[in-house]
Amino acid sequence: GIPALDIITKGLSVGMKIVGDKFEAAEIFLPQIMMSGKAMSNAMEVLTPELEKNKKAGEEAGLAITFVAEGDIHDIGHRLVTTMLGANGFQILDMGVDVLNEDVVEEAAKHKGEKVLLVGSALMTTSMLGQKDLMDRLREEDLRDSVKCMFGGAPVSDKWIDEIGADATAENAAEAAKVALVVMK
């Protein structure tokens, strides 16, 4: 009887944050991270159809093109944000993990003139640097003004977003959906 959105935001997300904090403090290790990720994936498989059922008919916030940066395969946060965006009225085009910036630019070009939000994730500092490259490429291809850009991941900060000229970031998946709706207005 608990709404799927509450299970995600008040249960699973909170649990994954605890797991991340414990890993950072060396209280747990990679096997526990992998088990937690698998549990999260299994739960999302059950909850995603429930979120879709509760999505209001005709509700469209725009197209969210989601991806994990080139060189990065960490997808738990990416999948959670993608699910939350879909539950909040976005049409989803999930490009997956380890996505080349050229492919993101190409996809953005295909949807020029539409209401588009690029949502990129990077868990590592090295893959986060690709976000700046993506912003530069969007400007070079005269696409920057036709899309909104939102980036997330552990190393991403408001300062970084300002530095690269993106539109937004968020602390977690639930906040990302709220911020995305504001960015797209």
Side-chain angles (χ1 to χ4, degrees):
I2 300 170
L5 197 56
D6 285 351
I7 293 170
I8 294 168
T9 60
K10 297 176 181 174
L12 296 171
S13 293
V14 173
M16 288 306 291
K17 178 161 180 10
I18 292 168
V19 167
D21 291 346
K22 287 184 177 261
F23 181 72
E24 199 171 290
E27 294 175 23
I28 64 172
F29 302 97
L30 190 57
Q32 289 84 12
I33 290 284
M34 296 188 64
M35 285 180 3
S36 300
K38 181 68 175 159
M40 179 75 163
S41 294
N42 290 343
M44 293 306 296
E45 282 181 29
V46 172
L47 296 171
T48 299
E50 291 301 312
L51 288 172
E52 286 297 316
K53 278 194 244 176
N54 295 328
K55 190 169 156 181
K56 296 179 181 106
E59 185 179 1
E60 284 298 324
L63 172 64
I65 300 174
T66 65
F67 58 95
V68 177
E70 180 179 355
D72 200 327
I73 59 167
H74 299 93
D75 71 337
I76 293 171
H78 159 77
R79 284 186 285 140
L80 188 53
V81 168
T82 299
T83 300
M84 296 299 287
L85 290 171
N88 280 275
F90 283 88
Q91 178 188 353
I92 301 296
L93 193 162
D94 184 353
M95 296 183 71
V97 300
D98 193 18
V99 179
L100 300 173
N101 282 339
E102 302 89 68
D103 294 342
V104 176
V105 170
E106 184 179 308
E107 201 60 52
K110 287 180 192 174
H111 297 280
K112 191 171 183 173
E114 297 176 34
K115 225 172 133 177
V116 175
L117 176 65
L118 299 180
V119 184
S121 171
L123 192 63
M124 304 177 301
T125 305
T126 51
S127 56
M128 179 186 81
L129 297 175
Q131 296 170 346
K132 181 181 184 323
D133 177 60
L134 176 59
M135 295 303 297
D136 292 341
R137 288 172 186 250
L138 289 168
R139 285 187 277 274
E140 288 167 11
E141 297 293 326
D142 198 29
L143 291 167
R144 175 59 184 107
D145 292 336
S146 67
V147 295
K148 297 292 184 179
C149 299
M150 185 170 175
F151 296 112
V156 177
S157 66
D158 288 328
K159 182 180 177 199
W160 174 249
I161 293 300
D162 289 342
E163 184 180 320
I164 65 173
D167 297 298
T169 188
E171 285 292 314
N172 57 54
E175 183 185 326
K178 291 175 190 169
V179 170
L181 289 169
V182 169
V183 166
M184 294 303 282
K185 288 196 180 202

